[in-house]
Amino acid sequence: MPTETKTGWGLIGASTIARQYMVEAIRTQKGHEVVAMMSSSAERAKAFAADHKIESAYDSLDELLANPAVQVVYISTTNELHRPQVLAAAKAGKHVLCEKPLALGVDDAVQMVRACNAAGVVMATNHHLRNAATHRKIRELIKGGAIGRPLFARVFHAVYLPPHLQGWRLDKPQAGGGVILDITVHDIDTLRFLLDAEPVEVVGIGQSAFMAKEGLEDGAMSVIRFDNGVLAQLHDAFTVKHAGHGIEIHGEAGSVIGRNVMSQRAVGEVVLRNDTGERLVPVEHEGLYVRGVATFCAALQGTGKPAATGEDGVRSLATALAVAQACRIGSLVRVPEINIQGIQ
Ligand code: NDP
């Protein structure tokens, strides 16, 4: 009997997101297996590997990358580590699924995408919300003309950071902490996806209410102008327990409203409102991370693109950094032009 060839994944980072969602998401893909794990602590690597029945555990990136059973890496370390780890993975010829924000600077992120392109490996960014059945339905409705020309968007993504995540996000600027690189970047990516448009300029004001330290924001409100004219208002926070979350896109002919849709879970509903009234639009929910991994795996086989490419990660990061800058300087900031293909 022929033996089935498996695509082996190495996990870089003993993170909560890997533990809660990604190991399982990878394992749902036929022909894919998690074969190795790496942490900066040998103890954490071993414990994670034992908990998830992963064959090899390393505390060295080079050793994980030297394992021939690893063809793909999933990087979910703190944000300042994504860049060196992606560059090392590309150099070793491994395909890369990297967490958002891709990096702490636009040039760094561009360098990461170029390195993967040059190495001929697939790179994707784990912006999960594009994979939600709700957001895909909202995009379909907008594209199908259900609300006419879109004019405004409002994103409600103010949540309460659970105690087990109240670490580096709140007190480590050098690790890319703060609500803007954590949550605003997701909103931006989602809006880019829903509107099929690119951000042009931003304004914003940050808040450091009581959780964040070291000059980081634990809340922010921003407004983004897109190249199709849409104005989007974003409210992001780590500090409020009862705000609820969702997204609204308002057009000349109607409004589409996603309730409870800025979530890691396959939940929420889509409502279409126009002159004839309001109706619930049916959606078939599926796991966001499962679908994200599935599109990445298909891209590995040469079918289609990952739900969020490396370039998407760069563009969404560039706008998030523009929001952070606008909060710092208190005036309008233009989003920089991105040239992935340009000369290095
Ligand atoms: P965690 O805080 O859970 O983990 C980040 C790193 O912290 C780990 O890689 C690990 O380092 C280290 N760490 C874990 N446990 C301990 C411990 N007990 N003591 C000291 N250090 C420890 O991060 P998240 O899972 O919340 O986020 C990881 C990445 O994923 C970030 O880039 C984040 O932005 C992104 N993310 C993306 C989401 C999405 O939906 N796309 C959702 C949540 C996060 P080591 O690996 O060296 O052990």
Side-chain angles (χ1 to χ4, degrees), residues 254-268:
S255 293
V256 58
I257 292 139
R259 291 186 185 134
N260 197 27
V261 297
M262 305 307 285
S263 174
Q264 294 181 283
R265 293 178 302 115
V267 295

Side-chain angles (χ1 to χ4, degrees), residues 13-14 16-17 39-40 44 79 99-100 126 128 168-169 289:
T16 307
I17 178 80
S39 158
S40 61
R44 255 195 322 270
N79 305 328
E99 270 306 340
K100 48 49 68 172
N126 206 24
H128 62 299
W168 58 271
R169 280 176 173 80
Y289 298 98

Side-chain angles (χ1 to χ4, degrees), residues 17-29:
I17 178 80
R19 188 180 288 280
Q20 287 186 337
Y21 289 100
M22 295 304 290
V23 173
E24 191 187 334
I26 295 163
R27 287 184 168 153
T28 60
Q29 302 306 306

Side-chain angles (χ1 to χ4, degrees), residues 297-309:
C297 294
L300 296 180
Q301 301 299 317
T303 308
K305 288 197 304 184
T309 61

Side-chain angles (χ1 to χ4, degrees), residues 119-169:
V121 297
V122 176
M123 180 182 173
T125 313
N126 206 24
H127 276 301
H128 62 299
L129 289 166
R130 288 170 175 247
N131 295 296
T134 48
H135 289 293
R136 285 186 293 123
K137 181 57 75 181
I138 293 171
R139 177 181 152 100
E140 185 188 308
L141 289 167
I142 296 170
K143 276 192 168 292
I147 62 166
R149 177 182 163 211
L151 296 173
F152 297 102
R154 298 197 293 189
V155 185
F156 310 94
H157 208 164
V159 297
Y160 192 81
L161 193 64
H164 68 279
L165 294 182
Q166 292 180 18
W168 58 271
R169 280 176 173 80

